[in-house]
Amino acid sequence: PLPGVGSSAASSSSSSSSTTSSSGGSSSSGALGFRQPSSQLLLSCDEGAWGVVGLMLVAWLHWHCGVCQATAVQCVSQALGVTLNEAVLSEVQRLLVVRAKERFSRLMLTWAYGGGSAEVSGDLVGGWTERVAMRRCLSPDGCLGASKGHFYLELKGLHPGRYHYKFIIDNNWDVDPEAPKTLDSSGNWN
């Protein structure tokens, strides 16, 4: 079995997830240490889909369980009896990292309190002298988290940290009444 996956050491942290026998081993475990319900899930897939399932399983073992990728590939290949395309796995993992970085460096601002025009100014958009126009959502299905009629602005490439900003609604500076605010050294709420 894979170290830390389905072994009695791993299952001791979650008593309801595994049945242990009196000898301390996991009952009904397969080569990867999976309990029977997981094996049944794999068996319900078409045999042609096992390669895709195998790639997902390797990725899960590697990213979630911390298993070395080469070990995960070897064990999953052996357990499922399939040859996994490691080039595809590497490309999928590369894309996951790229998309995760994009997602975590993205911020969506919305203004749901009316107005004819909306802009944002402050640290988020290059400084207090900069103004970036927000878009009004016209779709009945909403726009990137904003409801129809509300303003929204998607910002990408932000680094983790604290940013001060304000909305400019119809040329009047305002703050979101629902968002946390801080008082700056000049006595302004941001």
Side-chain angles (χ1 to χ4, degrees), residues 95-116:
L95 288 173
L96 281 172
V97 170
V98 167
R99 298 271 160 52
K101 286 181 180 176
E102 287 174 0
R103 185 169 181 86
F104 286 118
S105 66
R106 188 178 77 187
L107 176 68
M108 182 62 61
L109 294 177
T110 59
W111 180 264
Y113 310 105

Side-chain angles (χ1 to χ4, degrees), residues 115-177:
S117 67
E119 299 169 297
V120 175
S121 186
D123 299 338
L124 287 173
V125 294
W128 292 103
T129 59
E130 300 295 321
R131 291 182 173 200
V132 176
M134 298 180 77
R135 297 178 67 183
R136 184 184 299 272
C137 178
L138 302 176
S139 170
D141 297 327
C143 305
L144 300 173
S147 299
K148 182 178 180 183
H150 297 172
F151 290 97
Y152 69 97
L153 177 64
E154 181 181 26
L155 300 168
K156 294 181 180 179
L158 298 172
H159 296 286
R162 177 171 283 190
Y163 294 87
H164 300 279
Y165 64 97
K166 278 191 168 180
F167 294 97
I168 305 167
I169 309 302
D170 298 330
N171 265 341
N172 296 308
W173 293 75
D174 209 342
V175 293
D176 184 339

Side-chain angles (χ1 to χ4, degrees), residues 11 15 20 29 31 36 39 56 61 65 78 86 90 94-95 98 124-125 139 141 155 158 166 170 177 190:
S11 60
S15 60
T20 55
S29 295
Q36 191 172 6
S39 300
M56 290 188 296
L61 289 168
C65 299
Q78 184 180 14
E86 290 189 61
S90 295
R94 185 191 70 76
L95 288 173
V98 167
L124 287 173
V125 294
S139 170
D141 297 327
L155 300 168
L158 298 172
K166 278 191 168 180
D170 298 330
N190 298 305

Side-chain angles (χ1 to χ4, degrees), residues 40-120:
Q40 288 175 351
L41 174 66
L42 285 174
L43 292 175
S44 69
C45 294
D46 292 334
E47 210 169 308
W50 283 22
V52 174
V53 171
L55 288 172
M56 290 188 296
L57 186 54
V58 167
W60 179 78
L61 289 168
H62 178 65
W63 287 83
H64 182 71
C65 299
V67 174
C68 167
Q69 180 175 321
T71 302
V73 167
Q74 180 185 8
C75 290
V76 170
S77 296
Q78 184 180 14
L80 297 180
V82 295
T83 302
L84 298 175
N85 186 337
E86 290 189 61
V88 171
L89 179 63
S90 295
E91 179 62 13
V92 166
Q93 289 186 9
R94 185 191 70 76
L95 288 173
L96 281 172
V97 170
V98 167
R99 298 271 160 52
K101 286 181 180 176
E102 287 174 0
R103 185 169 181 86
F104 286 118
S105 66
R106 188 178 77 187
L107 176 68
M108 182 62 61
L109 294 177
T110 59
W111 180 264
Y113 310 105
S117 67
E119 299 169 297
V120 175

